[in-house]
Each structure stands twice: as C-alpha cells, then as structure tokens.
C-alpha cells in the first residue's frame, strides 16, 4: 500500500482525449491561479508608485519609481527584523509543533483509563480556536511581567506557542485519527518504545501534515501584530510585521512605503514557501512510489 | 496501544502542551471572563456589576448589527469556500506543468498579513479610487458601493475573506488527499467507477475528518475577522459593517470599556465554539447514518 | 511492506528541527538592554501617537534632538505607535503600572489615569519652572483635576477649514461666511462635480473638527455641565437644529461619495490634489499644504456662522490638544524627575516654541513666533485668524470635555448624518444614550 501518489487521471482512455483533458485542466489551473494572484500583482504595481499617485492615478506608467523600496530599505533595519522574526518563529514553531504532536499522539493513540478524559482534553485544546486573540493581550502582558520575561524574545515565543496549540492539535489529531494504526502496532511487536514509535514510525509518515503545520505557524508568526505591538517595546527586538506598521502615523499614511514594505516581507515568504513545499511533496512522492 | 499507555507516559506526553496552553491561553480567557462582569476601564478600580454588560448588549443595536454581519459573512464564506478550495486541491493535484509553483502562488494570499490584505483590497474595492470601479466605469456600470455603502460591505468582506483563505483551505485539503490510500481508489477504478463516482463515494467519505478540520477552522476564523473590516471601512458607516471582533475592539480600546468589551469577547467565544460543535455533531450524525 | 519503508528512511528534517529549537530556546533567554542608564546618562522614555516620530511628527523630533544637544547627560528614548495601538498599549501598561515616563494621551484617558493614581502632579514643577503664567488660562484649567495639573499642552489644536480660493473663484464663488453661503457653494460645486468639504471617516471618525466648532456655535459650552450632570439633554432643540444643518449640507452635495471608505489621509490628499474646495482639518496639516500645489491658493477659515445659532458666532477653535503627561513613578526617582523637569522646561522655552513653528505648528505658550510670510504662508494664514482680536476661542474642543465613549458617539453622530445613516433626531439620541450609559 502506498500513502499517496499524484493521480494520473483516468488511465485507459484514448490518447487524444486524454491530452485534450489535460490541456483543459492545465488552462483552468493557470487561469484560477492568475485570478488569485491578481491582487498581489496590483499591490506590486502600487508599491512602485509614489504615495500620492496611488491615491489619484494608480495606472500612471510614467511615475513608476523604486523610491518606496529605497525609503523602506533605508528606514527599516531589515536584517535585524528578519533576524528577530526568524528567532521567534523558529523557537515558537518548533517547540509548538513538538508539544502539540506529543499531546495529539497521546490524545489519539494512547489508552486512557477514563474514555471521556480523552475527548474532554481534546475539546479543552480545540476550544482555543474560538477565542479572539485580543482577549489575551492584557493578561499575557501581566504574565510576561510577572515572569520577568517582558522585553525578551521569550515574551513573544511563549504566547505564540500557546496560540498555535489549538490549531496544531486540530490538524494533528484529525490526521492521526484518519491514519491507520497498523504501522505502530507492528513496531510495538518489534519491541519499539514510545519514543522510537513517535520518532521513527509516526513522525516520518506525518510529514505532509507536519509541513503544513510548520508553514502555517511560520506564516502566523511573520504576520502576527497584536502581540508584538504590546509585548515588544524595544525597537531592537521588533519583528517584520511591526515594520510595516511604521508607515502609518496619526495624520499620515505612507501608502507607497507600506506597499513596498509589504512586498519586501511577502516575497521572501513566498519563495521560502515555494521551495519548502516542493521539497516536502517531492520527498513524499518518492517515498510513496518506492514504498 | 495499551503497552505504551502507562499513566506517567500519558502525563509526560500531555504535560508540556497542557502547561503552556493553560498558562498562556486558558488563564487569560478566565481573566477576561471574570472582567466581563465588571465595569473596568482597563485600569484603576473595577466594580462587580453582575450581568449588566451582557444585558446592555441585548439593547445595543450596533452589537446586533455586528452579529448579523458576522453571520452573513459566515454563511457566504462557507458556501463558496469549502467547495471551491476542495475543487482547487483536486485540480492542482493533476499532472500540470509547474503544479508545485501554482500551489505556492495560490497559497500566496494566506501568507499576507490580514491588515495588509485589508489595505490591498481598499485599493480594489473603494468606490472612488478602487480598481474594480475604475475597470467597470468604461463598461458604463455606475460606481458601486462595494464597501462603505449600506448593504454590500459584508458580502465584500466575505469575498476578501474567501480570497485570503482559499490557499489555506486548499493546502489542508491537499495534505488530506495525500493521505487517502491509493489502493482504495485503484480498487474503485477496477470496479469501473467514473471519476465522479470515485470522488463522491471513495475520496470524499475518506476525507471526512479533513472536511471537518477545514470547516471548523473556517468557522472559528470567520468569528475572528477583524483587520479586514478595520482596513476596508473601519466598521463604518457608523458601525454598519462592523463584525463582532471589530466591534469588540472598538468598545474595548476606542471606548475603553474593558468590561463591556470582554462581555462581547465571551459572546464571540461561545458562538464560535457552539457553531463548531454543532457542525461537528451534525457531521458525526451523518457519518453514522 | 510498512517495515521496509520506515527502516529505510531516516528523518533528517526532524533532527534539524530539534537541534535548532534547543539552540533558539537558549538565545531566547538573552534579554534586552537595560534602559535605565546608558554610559552614565539618565534615560527618560517619551511615547507618542506616531510609529515614526521623526517623519510623522517632526516638531516633536526637533525639540527632542535640540534638548539632547543642550543636555548631553540626558537621553530621550522616543517610541510610538499609531493612535489605536498607542492607546491600547497605554491602557495595558497603566493596568500593570509600567507606563512610559512622558507620553501623549487623550484628556479623558488622562483623567481616568489620574483618578487611578497613575499620573504625576505637575503643578509644583510647572510653578517652579515659571511656565504656568505663559500658558493660556483655559489650557491650565483644562488639564487640572482634583487640584492637580496632570498634563501640559503637547501642540496647539487650531482647527477649521482650509479653503482653496482658486476653486471658489474659478467657479464664480466668493469665500462664504454664513451657513447659507456655504450651502450655496456646495450646490454650485456639486453641479461641477467638485467636493466642497473633504472628510474621511474610515478609521478616522474623529476627523470632524469643523463640526465640533458648530457645536460650540449652538451653545455647547454653556450646556455641557448641565448635560453631564443630567439636568439637560443632548437631545435639545439647538443641537437638533445643528444636525439638521449638517443634513442640509449633505443634501447640497458637499461631501465626497466615498466619505465612509476614505481615510482622513485620503481626504487630505483629495484637497492637496485640488479636487476639493475645503479640507476639514487643523493647523497640523499646514506643512503638507505648504508643500503641495494648492499652497498659494489656501487660506484658513474658522467656519460658517449661523443666523439661528446660539451665543457668539465669531469664534475660532484655538485650544490645547491632547496633553503630555508624566508617569507617577517619576516623582519617586530623583534623577528621572530632574531630567523630566529639564525636558518640560525646555519644551516651553522660546527656543522650543520656535521649533514648533518652524515645523508648522502654532506655539502653545504666549511666545510671539517668527514666521516667514512666504515659506510659511499657510501656517501664517491660520495664525492670523487665531490672533484676530474679533474672534474668541472656546475653552476646549467639545469632544475633549466628555469621556471617550461619549466622544466617539459624538463623532458617530456627526458622520452618521454626513453619511445619511442617521436622522438628526437619531444622531442626538445616539449621543444621549452614550451619556446615559455613564
């Protein structure tokens, strides 16, 4: 049995028909993708316009300029911000994924003495999905102060982990439930312990889901704003999402600067995602074909 | 599985997540619930006022307006988003040149910070300076109040939400499709099932859990929509396009009625949890039937 | 077939992930720099309502830099966020008693903070420095509560309408003075497709300055005490009449079609591009106007007078804006106290007041500034109106005399009529409801 394979479409059909079908689906895919990407292209165009042209005449070609990027690069400590964001993202996402995986494994695979304990614990985690994050700001600020971690990376990392747990648990328990247990049972018969089962048996097969979780969590950390704006008051620790907000003032907004900063933040993320997901899916497909 | 399920092992596996989640999530929520029964302004003394904040909500037309808007966005988004993102996942699984690149691009909107998504769409939807009306103008279509008018804003917000979530939902569906065992599909094919029959009777039933995940995530995300509305209309005109969270933000931070704001937050939490549970219960009953 | 698969493949990814996470967890423990003393310097923190003070609030930035130059032993750490986040951060900080040393905050919030014991009484300091006599009496009394002076004026709030004379004359119109003139201007310009008054409600519902002046032309100042103690209603004939006038202006087509989706910044831009005849704003916009194509055509107008108004119609809104306040903990730290005292002394010195003027802001003391009549023509036209002996100023802007919840209801009521969401009756009712909830 294989975990997955890219479907090849209906096989025994005659060649021309199949090719026509493929061309049609290909065109449809490109068209849909184009429509989805269109607004992003629009922003890229806007980011090349001076702020006042954005408001009055965004189609104007002769005013195109890289000034916004020059300003953004000059006024933002880009390296520092990416460093901060990466530190916070790596720490919170890896720890978050590990603790969520451990909990999800226990919640789907391990045998509880009271069966209701399992479902109520799962619900305990999942209920977090319904909480708007603004509720957490005041109390977490106070906890960070009480723990003496206010003004450090940890002030952001710990709440980010907590916030990622409900989502991670939902995804991991969902996939673990759908996933056959035979593999682990075979490993137990081979005499594997809990750690080896998780590490060498379950985690490898969960790769696409883990990848999904990592990607979503990293994206969350890159874009998160309410917590950073409250918990980080030291500009040296600012993350990229704080950077974009710097273009907004009480009576002024530098739209061009915001668009440029947004593009500067967005592009590396897209590239990283493109590389990362291809890698994950390639590894997965190879494993499936060989398996 | 019983072999690895000693009590301390279960405890060990659960402890880190439980500790972090309880300290940085459950405790704050409890704190907010407690404050929803006070007249706190955020600082200074807080007086216990019982359920006054909640009864005041019943009387608050802006609260009902924001609830109505949230429900409209919820229904419109789910109806459009679930089928289209699933179809997109199926489509991008096909053998297409650069399918991986397409998947990355479709995921693009999900990467953009919501506050920027809102800002971007201002330049598309704004009745005067937006791209959409500028494109419609030569076609003789008069300026349409996509946002900021009396009726269309919630639908426009739904559209933007669908746009920003479709890659996210598609990716989860895609990951779920990878886990559908191929031999089952092969067996169906040998039985002569058409593609549609395979989809309808094999793939979709096997992905029940994935559908549940996507739906619950979307429901809870709709109940958290804030930045989109904040950027598109600021909740206006006069709170007409407010969602529950944007109205909560207004009450808590603009009006500095922390107690009342937390009461709205509790309502959001309860509604989000109930809607998700109702969906899960319905899905489970259907799968048993 | 399962066995082959998992024994054959090692999970590099997971190993890397674990190694990185433990490294990062260590890095996370390294803490931020200690803000208290930098090379023996005393540091005071100044928190403002703009994320980038240097570009968005050049006047404050210039004063801070000049102050640091004059006092090399003091470092002023300037930080800031957009208004909404700034206020949110302040209320959270106030709750945990971790406010910045000096900060900008709305008057109503400042008074709540004073009640909660979070602010320092500046009276002794100001008396000591001899600043009080140089500040307008109304300002001092505005920032006084419980016999304490809790705030000092940050910048002047000189508001009204910026008028593009050229748009008016090109359309055969004269500068209006009465409300009826204004309605006629709006009707004429509407027929030409020109916006009369540029306003934007999106995320800036507070941008109704010229209409707050209207409230004062309908007796707000005389009524407010009675309204606050409940003996008079906001729902009174005078105010209803005022809102009816807003509706008339709206029906005359004075406002932009996208007034509800455009932000205040877009409204300003509309004016700067010569696409609106008037801009509802204040003196802070003078620098932007000065740098724009409409600079030469712009004059400042204190707003329309009403034949059916209440009280003096010859007024100009020239009051103190939101205050700068000082954290109560500064009083207990002699070094910081000395530094803050020096800072305040400098802020209200003639040199610093001239810096305000150089950056397009009116002085907040009785200092007579030097203005370049050509390079600062826009600012000058506003200051000329402000100093016109025939015009009196209200004590304070109406929204500054009520709580934040009531002031946002006031903004909503005005924009509600402008956007045709509320009838004049519903508008006053909205504000009265907010008052009742107090």
């Amino acid at each position: 049995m294989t975990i997955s394979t890219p479907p090849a479409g209906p096989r025994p059909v005659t060649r021309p028909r199949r090719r026509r079908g493929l061309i049609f689906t290909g065109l449809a895919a490109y068209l849909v993708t184009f429509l989805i990407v269109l607004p992003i292209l629009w922003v890229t165009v806007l980011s090349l316009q001076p702020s006042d042209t954005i408001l009055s005449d965004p189609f104007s070609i002769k005013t195109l300029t890289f000034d916004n990027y020059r300003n953004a690069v000059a006024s933002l400590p880009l390296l520092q911000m990416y460093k901060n964001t990466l530190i916070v993202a790596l720490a919170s996402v890896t720890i978050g994924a590990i603790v969520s995986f451990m909990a999800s494994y226990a919640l789907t695979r391990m045998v509880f003495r009271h069966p209701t304990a399992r479902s109520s614990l799962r619900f305990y985690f999942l209920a977090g999905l319904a909480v708007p994050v603004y509720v957490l700001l005041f109390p977490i600020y106070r906890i960070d102060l009480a723990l003496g971690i206010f003004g450090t990376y940890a002030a952001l990392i710990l709440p980010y982990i907590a916030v990622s747990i409900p989502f991670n648990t939902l995804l991991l328990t969902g996939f673990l439930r759908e996933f056959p247990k035979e593999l682990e049972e075979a490993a137990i018969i081979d005499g594997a312990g809990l750690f080896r089962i998780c590490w060498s048996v379950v985690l490898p097969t969960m790769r696409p889901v883990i990848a999904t979780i990592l990607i979503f969590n990293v994206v969350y950390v890159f874009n998160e704003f309410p917590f950073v704006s409250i918990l980080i008051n030291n500009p040296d620790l600012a993350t990229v999402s704080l950077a974009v907000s710097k273009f907004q003032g009480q009576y002024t907004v530098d739209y061009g600067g915001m668009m440029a900063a947004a593009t500067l933040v967005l592009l590396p993320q897209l590239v990283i995602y493109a590389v990362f997901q291809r890698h994950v899916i390639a590894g997965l497909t190879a494993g499936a074909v060989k398996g | 599985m019983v072999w690895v399920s000693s009590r301390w092992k279960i405890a060990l596996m659960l402890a880190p997540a439980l500790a972090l989640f309880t300290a940085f999530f459950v405790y704050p929520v409890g704190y907010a619930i407690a404050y929803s029964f006070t007249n706190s302004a955020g600082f200074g003394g807080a007086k216990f006022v019982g359920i006054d904040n909640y009864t005041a909500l019943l009387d608050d037309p802006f609260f009902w307006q924001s609830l109505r808007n949230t429900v409209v966005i919820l229904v419109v988004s789910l109806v459009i988003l679930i089928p289209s993102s699933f179809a997109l996942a199926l489509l991008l699984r096909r053998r297409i040149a650069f399918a991986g690149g397409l998947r990355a691009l479709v995921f693009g909107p999900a990467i953009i910070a919501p506050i920027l998504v809102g800002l971007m769409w201002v330049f598309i939807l704004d009745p005067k300076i937006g791209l959409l009306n500028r494109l419609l103008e030569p076609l003789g279509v008069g300026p349409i109040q996509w946002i900021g008018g009396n009726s269309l804003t919630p639908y426009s917000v739904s559209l933007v939400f669908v746009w920003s979530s479709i890659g996210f939902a598609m990716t989860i569906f895609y990951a779920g499709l990878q886990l559908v065992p191929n031999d089952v599909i092969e067996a169906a094919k040998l039985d002569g099932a058409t593609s549609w029959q395979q989809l309808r009777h094999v793939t979709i039933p096997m992905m029940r859990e994935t559908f549940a995940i996507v739906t619950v995530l979307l429901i809870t995300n709709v109940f958290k929509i804030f930045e989109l509305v904040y950027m598109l209309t600021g909740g206006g005109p006069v709170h007409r396009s407010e969602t529950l969270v944007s109205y909560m933000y207004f009450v808590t931070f603009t009006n500095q009625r922390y107690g009342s704001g937390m009461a709205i937050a509790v309502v959001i939490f309860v509604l989000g949890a109930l809607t998700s549970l109702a969906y899960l219960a319905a899905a489970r009953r259907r799968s048993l039937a | 077939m399962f066995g082959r698969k998992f024994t054959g493949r090692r999970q590099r990814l997971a190993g890397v992930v674990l190694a990185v996470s433990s490294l990062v967890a260590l890095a996370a423990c390294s803490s931020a720099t200690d803000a208290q003393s930098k090379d023996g310097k005393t540091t005071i923190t100044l928190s403002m309502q703009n994320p980038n003070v240097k570009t968005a609030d050049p006047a404050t930035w210039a004063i801070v830099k000049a102050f640091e130059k004059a006092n090399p032993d003091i470092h002023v750490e300037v930080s800031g966020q957009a208004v909404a986040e700034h206020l949110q951060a302040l209320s959270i900080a106030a709750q945990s008693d971790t406010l910045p040393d000096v900060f900008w905050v709305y008057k109503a919030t400042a008074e709540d903070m004073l009640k909660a014991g979070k602010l320092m009484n500046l009276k002794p300091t100001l008396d000591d420095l001899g600043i009080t006599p140089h500040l307008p009496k109304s300002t001092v009394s505005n920032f006084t509560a419980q016999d304490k002076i809790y705030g000092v004026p940050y910048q002047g709030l000189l508001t009204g309408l910026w008028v593009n004379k050229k748009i008016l004359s090109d359309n055969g119109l004269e500068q209006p003075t009465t409300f009826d003139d204004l309605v006629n201007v709006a009707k004429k310009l509407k027929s030409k497709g020109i916006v009369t008054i540029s306003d934007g409600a999106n995320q800036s519902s507070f941008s109704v300055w010229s209409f707050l002046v209207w409230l004062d032309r309908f007796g707000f100042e005389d009524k407010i005490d009675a309204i606050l103690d409940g003996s008079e209603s906001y729902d009174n004939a005078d105010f209803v009449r005022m809102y009816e006038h807003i509706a008339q202006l709206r029906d005359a087509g004075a406002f932009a079609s996208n007034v509800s989706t455009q932000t205040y910044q877009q409204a300003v831009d509309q004016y700067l591009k010569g696409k609106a005849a008037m801009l509802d704003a204040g003196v802070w916009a003078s620098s932007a106007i000065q740098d724009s194509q409409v600079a030469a055509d712009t004059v400042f107008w204190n707003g329309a007078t009403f034949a059916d108004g209440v009280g003096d119609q010859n007024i100009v809104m020239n009051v103190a804006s939101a205050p700068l306040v000082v954290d109560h903990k500064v009083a207990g730290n002699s070094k910081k106290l000395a530094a803050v005292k020096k800072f305040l002394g400098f802020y209200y010195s003639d040199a610093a007041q001239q810096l305000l003027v150089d950056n397009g802001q009116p002085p907040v003391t009785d200092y007579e500034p030097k203005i370049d009549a050509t390079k600062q023509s826009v600012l000058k036209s506003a200051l000329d109106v402000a100093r016109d002996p025939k015009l009196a100023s209200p004590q304070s802007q109406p929204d500054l005399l009520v709580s934040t919840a009531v002031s946002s209801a006031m903004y909503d009521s005005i924009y509600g009529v402008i956007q045709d969401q509320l009838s004049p009756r519903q508008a006053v009712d909205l504000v009265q409801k907010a008052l009742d909830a107090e």
Side-chain angles (χ1 to χ4, degrees), chain A:
Chain A
M1 170 185 156
T2 53
I3 303 306
S4 156
T5 193
R11 214 169 295 168
V13 193
T14 51
R15 273 189 169 271
R17 215 184 121 193
R18 193 184 145 197
R19 185 173 298 160
R20 211 171 336 133
L22 267 181
I23 290 172
F24 176 74
T25 49
L27 280 180
Y30 281 102
L31 185 69
V32 171
T33 310
F34 176 73
L35 282 178
I36 290 176
V37 174
L38 199 58
I40 301 180
L41 294 176
W42 178 233
V43 165
T44 318
V45 172
L46 291 179
S47 74
L48 296 169
Q49 295 280 15
S51 274
D52 40 358
T53 319
I54 288 180
L55 294 172
S56 51
D57 186 15
F59 292 114
S60 159
I61 304 237
K62 56 180 188 293
T63 51
L64 291 182
T65 162
F66 278 98
D67 280 358
N68 293 325
Y69 287 91
R70 261 191 291 273
N71 290 344
V73 171
S75 65
L76 294 174
L78 280 172
L79 276 181
Q80 180 77 28
M81 279 164 175
Y82 271 106
K83 190 191 108 195
N84 292 333
T85 313
L86 283 177
I87 289 174
V88 172
L90 280 174
S92 60
V93 170
T94 46
I95 300 173
I98 290 170
V99 300
S100 318
F101 173 77
M102 288 163 67
S104 304
Y105 187 79
L107 288 175
T108 46
R109 289 298 202 264
M110 293 168 109
V111 180
F112 281 62
R113 204 156 294 177
H114 302 287
T116 48
R118 171 147 74 182
S119 54
S120 35
L121 267 173
R122 181 166 181 259
F123 179 74
Y124 180 75
F125 286 126
L126 295 192
L129 287 170
V131 176
V133 68
Y134 292 91
V135 171
L136 310 176
L137 296 182
F138 278 59
I140 284 185
Y141 179 87
R142 298 190 115 180
I143 296 173
D144 278 355
L145 278 178
L147 294 178
I149 56 172
F150 183 80
T152 70
Y153 291 126
L156 278 182
I157 291 170
L158 291 174
Y160 283 176
I161 296 172
V163 170
S164 75
I165 287 176
F167 172 78
N168 293 354
T169 310
L170 177 74
L171 238 61
L172 288 168
T173 55
F175 281 107
L176 276 166
R177 279 167 151 195
E178 251 169 25
F179 198 73
K181 285 182 193 170
E182 290 88 347
L183 215 61
E184 296 140 76
E185 278 158 0
I188 291 172
I189 293 166
D190 285 350
L194 178 59
F195 179 76
R196 258 202 57 203
I197 293 175
C198 288
W199 190 248
S200 324
V201 182
V202 184
L203 263 183
T205 55
M206 295 283 289
R207 256 174 119 181
V209 185
I210 301 273
T212 310
I213 283 180
L214 292 181
I215 290 168
F216 285 170
N217 286 345
V218 168
V219 167
Y220 169 76
V221 173
F222 262 78
N223 291 340
E224 202 284 328
F225 185 67
F227 279 126
V228 204
S229 69
I230 292 295
L231 300 175
I232 295 297
N233 56 3
N234 179 350
D236 294 341
L237 297 183
T239 63
V240 285
S241 56
L242 259 186
V244 178
S245 75
K246 292 287 165 207
F247 293 92
Q248 202 169 1
Q250 186 190 12
Y251 293 139
T252 55
V253 169
D254 178 359
Y255 291 106
M258 270 187 100
M259 298 292 177
T263 316
L264 284 178
V265 171
L266 181 66
L267 284 183
Q269 276 177 276
L270 264 182
V271 171
I272 291 169
Y273 174 76
V275 171
F276 192 36
Q277 74 126 24
R278 187 172 297 179
H279 187 76
V280 166
I281 287 163
L284 187 82
T285 321
V289 172
K290 276 186 224 139

Side-chain angles (χ1 to χ4, degrees), chain C residues 136 138 157-160 212-214 216-217 221-222 300-305 310-320 382-398:
Chain C
S138 61
L157 193 59
L158 170 53
T159 72
L212 295 172
V213 185
W214 285 24
D216 275 325
R217 292 201 171 101
E221 201 128 77
D222 293 334
F300 184 82
W301 181 34
N302 60 334
T305 57
V310 177
D312 190 0
Q313 297 298 301
N314 291 317
I315 54 173
V316 56
M317 187 64 73
N318 180 21
V319 298
L383 292 184
D384 287 348
V385 174
R387 280 183 296 203
D388 184 340
K390 291 194 293 292
L391 296 174
S393 173
Q395 297 286 302
S396 174
Q397 190 168 273

